Amino acid sequence: MALELLFSRMIKGSTSLKKNDIAGGAIEDRIKRIEDDIVSVANILANIMLIGKEKGKRCLFFSSSEGICRYWRLDIDIPTLNLAKGQDGYYVKIVQHPELCAVCSYWREGVYK
């Protein structure tokens, strides 16, 4: 009788371990998918930054001496952007925000700087 009780406890213990292993495996798979998604987004953002830097160098509106875009003039200071205060408003510091050049529809070919 005691032996049967011991065996039943061992079987129940191994079953609960298998269930925990399955749950742990599912969690690990989910974490791996999230990590893969983060890497994908990081790669996309890196590509956007590189494309923006190349476009910015060739843009007619980019001022290399100041590192700003002369086209994008804003009336207000946006705290999440690095802006330079000008006499007539705020200008985006493209050196720190090349992603804006990557998506800019106002880009015009200028002299390579």
Side-chain angles (χ1 to χ4, degrees), residues 72-91:
W72 285 102
R73 185 188 62 78
L74 305 169
D75 293 329
I76 59 170
D77 184 13
I78 300 173
T80 56
L81 287 176
N82 290 316
L83 303 172
K85 175 88 168 109
Q87 291 178 349
D88 56 345
Y90 295 91
Y91 294 93

Side-chain angles (χ1 to χ4, degrees), residues 5-6 10 13-14 17 22 33 40-41 46 49 51 55 58 69 74 77 79-80 88 91 95 98 101 107 111-113:
L5 183 60
L6 182 60
M10 287 174 55
S14 68
L17 283 176
I22 292 169
R33 279 183 284 167
S40 294
V41 169
M49 298 293 276
I51 289 167
K55 279 181 72 178
R58 294 184 176 95
C69 175
L74 305 169
D77 184 13
T80 56
D88 56 345
Y91 294 93
V95 175
C101 291
W107 181 85
V111 179
Y112 184 78
K113 302 168 191 161

Side-chain angles (χ1 to χ4, degrees), residues 47-63 67-72 81 92-108:
N47 290 338
I48 289 171
M49 298 293 276
L50 292 171
I51 289 167
K53 284 182 181 185
E54 287 303 310
K55 279 181 72 178
K57 285 187 223 175
R58 294 184 176 95
C59 185
L60 178 66
F61 301 114
F62 176 67
S63 170
I68 63 170
C69 175
R70 285 280 173 202
Y71 188 89
W72 285 102
L81 287 176
V92 178
K93 292 183 182 177
I94 293 301
V95 175
Q96 282 122 0
H97 295 290
E99 67 274 11
L100 296 178
C101 291
V103 298
C104 182
S105 59
Y106 302 109
W107 181 85
R108 298 292 178 263

Side-chain angles (χ1 to χ4, degrees), residues 32-49:
K32 176 70 172 131
R33 279 183 284 167
I34 291 170
E35 287 173 346
D36 290 345
D37 289 345
I38 290 170
V39 168
S40 294
V41 169
N43 288 336
I44 291 168
L45 292 175
N47 290 338
I48 289 171
M49 298 293 276

